[in-house]
Amino acid sequence: MNLEGDREADPARWYTTNLVGVPAPLLASTAFNAHPQPLHIAGARETNSGLFALLARCATPDEARDVFAHYMSLAFGLARPEPGERDEGPSGRRRWRSSYLKLLQGWGLDSNGPSGAVLKGWVESRFGLVPSFHGAPLARFPSPAWVAYLEQKGASRYHNNSIFQQLDLLYEFCQWMLARFALLGGGTHATLWRGSTRCEEQVAAGSLRERRCTVRLNNLVSFSTTRDAAQCFGDWVLEARIPQCKLLLVPGLLNTTSLRGEAEVLAIGGDCEVEARYD
């Protein structure tokens, strides 16, 4: 981590190494958002070349979703056992396998819970961006908030089934689907909205009252694809153009109802120029 000078008190300026080949400070900047470049997690596609060979044959999003779900089920043992089939560990209890789907469901219920900590930890590991909030501001280290985050992020319950590798494939599949089927309309950016009640403390430059400003987002954040959906989450609504290469989950990506009700998008955070409106 970079803890030089006054940065020691500002987790938004802490960075780690990453696996995407772009320095984390640049990845977190408004300059990258304005001029994004494709991102890929080192080794994810190469070690799962069979998956992407199968995807290349898919003519529709439905086919691709089915291929991805089937591959993940086989590769990580996510399918429910058939009636009468044993699925027990050494203790005789039913084995609990962590999965990307359970994490997404957990995030939908509480982004500041254990599932949210694992997802934020994955972003920290793969993109080098350290979270700034998890249930409470992650300010100076150590603190009770940091201890709680680290305990949840590293809980063995969520790391018994190569969960980071599962999330690597989810990200790469999302990028493949966005490029192949233009799930959000194509192009390099997507216009998204975020509702919030804590905007003032996120402002990094400018002012909310001026409508256009720069906010410093957590390392993983939720957006909505419609303004109306975003209004449900706070009086302030932020409109932003987010690079599609920063998206982990979008509506229509998976055969699941997780997060679909709010038309929710999960995006890698950092500094972001927004247009703010108070509704």
Side-chain angles (χ1 to χ4, degrees):
M1 292 183 181
N2 185 354
L3 302 178
E4 297 179 359
D6 59 359
R7 295 183 178 184
E8 183 177 356
D10 185 5
R13 296 305 185 189
W14 296 357
Y15 305 106
T16 69
T17 56
N18 65 44
L19 297 180
V20 294
V22 175
L26 175 58
L27 188 62
S29 70
T30 56
F32 182 88
N33 287 355
H35 305 284
Q37 65 182 60
L39 299 174
H40 294 287
I41 297 171
R45 294 201 183 195
E46 291 80 0
T47 55
N48 296 273
S49 58
L51 168 62
F52 291 93
L54 292 171
L55 289 174
R57 304 175 189 172
C58 295
T60 67
D62 284 339
E63 289 182 33
R65 284 189 284 265
D66 289 343
V67 165
F68 181 75
H70 186 64
Y71 183 91
M72 296 294 282
S73 178
L74 291 178
F76 299 101
L78 304 181
R80 292 181 177 273
E82 298 294 332
E85 181 181 352
R86 294 178 61 85
D87 186 38
E88 300 175 349
S91 65
R93 295 181 178 179
R94 174 78 176 273
R95 287 184 290 180
W96 193 94
R97 292 188 176 92
S98 58
S99 80
Y100 68 103
L101 292 174
K102 290 176 181 176
L103 285 185
L104 296 177
Q105 292 165 359
W107 174 279
L109 294 173
D110 181 9
S111 62
N112 291 302
S115 295
V118 175
L119 283 161
K120 293 169 188 174
W122 171 79
V123 174
E124 186 179 347
S125 169
R126 273 35 181 176
F127 296 87
L129 306 183
V130 177
S132 58
F133 189 92
H134 186 71
L138 298 176
R140 288 183 177 273
F141 181 88
S143 68
W146 266 106
V147 171
Y149 164 68
L150 293 174
E151 287 178 344
Q152 292 182 359
K153 178 182 75 170
S156 59
R157 176 180 177 85
Y158 294 91
H159 291 275
N160 64 359
N161 196 22
S162 303
I163 193 62
F164 278 11
Q165 286 70 33
Q166 292 185 46
L167 294 174
D168 292 348
L169 286 177
L170 176 64
Y171 172 79
E172 292 293 343
F173 177 59
C174 181
Q175 294 303 304
W176 185 90
M177 286 281 278
L178 288 169
R180 178 69 174 271
F181 296 114
L183 296 182
L184 292 179
T188 59
H189 291 75
T191 299
L192 301 171
W193 290 265
R194 175 173 170 79
S196 177
T197 58
R198 310 173 63 97
C199 288
E200 290 83 357
E201 60 194 57
Q202 297 174 340
V203 174
S207 167
L208 289 173
R209 301 300 173 181
E210 297 171 358
R211 293 188 61 178
R212 293 188 178 275
C213 60
T214 300
V215 295
R216 187 159 297 151
L217 301 173
N218 209 350
N219 71 342
L220 184 66
V221 291
S222 295
F223 282 92
S224 298
T225 56
T226 66
R227 186 188 304 275
D228 289 343
Q231 289 174 340
C232 299
F233 297 95
D235 295 329
W236 283 101
V237 176
L238 308 179
E239 179 180 336
R241 280 177 50 79
I242 304 298
Q244 295 204 20
C245 64
K246 280 192 168 184
L247 303 183
L248 171 65
L249 180 73
V250 300
L253 179 67
L254 303 173
N255 288 327
T256 175
T257 58
S258 297
L259 311 181
R260 188 177 297 171
E262 295 82 22
E264 191 164 359
V265 174
L266 294 190
I268 310 304
D271 287 357
C272 182
E273 294 180 345
V274 301
E275 181 174 331
R277 294 184 180 179
Y278 188 82
D279 295 325

